[in-house]
Structures are given as structure tokens and as C-alpha cells.
Amino acid sequence: MEYCRASGIRYRDLETEAGILLTVAEASCRYALPAMFDDEVIVRTWIVEAHPRLVRFAYELLEQSTGRRLATGETKHVFCGPDKKPRKLPEKYRAAFGIKCANPVDA
């Protein structure tokens, strides 16, 4: 959700205005070092792949005080409608996910 917010859209708007849900299709995590209780952790997120039907995010978790990498991971999300069936992301939201519009005039 923070990624969406930082990209200028609210996830809630995807659901309510566009009827789009980001459903998790795959998730992976590789742990490097443990985080301890009450450690502050920075989560960096970026898109590694995006199409009108899916988006794949990569993550890096860092210990705030030392900058040590704690973990890396990825999630793959499929854009779905309220019926939970895959659906293309409307053009209006594509730029926020780094997806080029089919018609540059609409961009």
C-alpha cells in the first residue's frame, strides 16, 4: 500500500473506483540475518516486472541502525476484479506501476 501511496494512488481507490484487487500469486523471502524484537526495519520496495495483468515487487529489509541487510524477497500480484478473476489494470492506473499506456495520447 505504501508503494501505491508513494506513486500517487491509494490502494483503496483501486478497489472502490476501479474494482481492482492485487492478489498475491507468489511470494518468496531469503533471510540473511535475524531482526530482533523491537528493531526498527526499513523496507525498500520496487517493481521488477509489470504488465497490465500483473506486477512483481522486490523487497530489501535493512536494519535501520546499521544498514545491514536482513532479508530480500519478491511477490507477484495479479490484478483481479471483485470476482477474483484476472483483469487488466485500467489505463488510468498503469503509469503508477510503470506500465506504458497502449495509446500515448491517453497517458
Side-chain angles (χ1 to χ4, degrees):
M1 286 188 224
E2 280 300 317
Y3 181 89
C4 289
R5 194 173 291 124
S7 297
I9 60 173
R10 293 183 333 154
Y11 180 75
R12 181 180 308 151
D13 293 342
L14 278 177
E15 288 186 341
T16 60
E17 293 176 10
I20 295 293
L21 307 171
L22 274 172
T23 58
V24 178
E26 296 176 8
S28 66
C29 183
R30 178 174 288 262
Y31 297 97
L33 296 168
M36 304 308 287
F37 182 76
D38 207 31
D39 281 352
E40 292 192 34
V41 176
I42 297 168
V43 179
R44 293 187 177 155
T45 306
W46 64 96
I47 292 175
V48 293
E49 178 183 11
H51 303 283
R53 293 198 181 265
L54 69 88
V55 62
R56 185 182 306 268
F57 293 100
Y59 306 92
E60 180 179 50
L61 284 72
L62 306 170
E63 183 179 33
Q64 183 179 17
S65 62
T66 64
R68 294 184 311 156
R69 182 185 295 168
L70 303 174
T72 58
E74 285 193 3
T75 54
K76 176 181 171 184
H77 302 258
V78 177
F79 298 112
C80 291
D83 57 1
K84 311 295 188 289
K85 292 184 180 179
R87 180 183 293 178
K88 285 186 179 181
L89 182 67
E91 295 269 345
K92 173 182 177 178
Y93 298 99
R94 292 184 186 180
F97 291 95
I99 303 168
K100 293 185 179 187
C101 293
N103 182 355
V105 175
D106 294 336

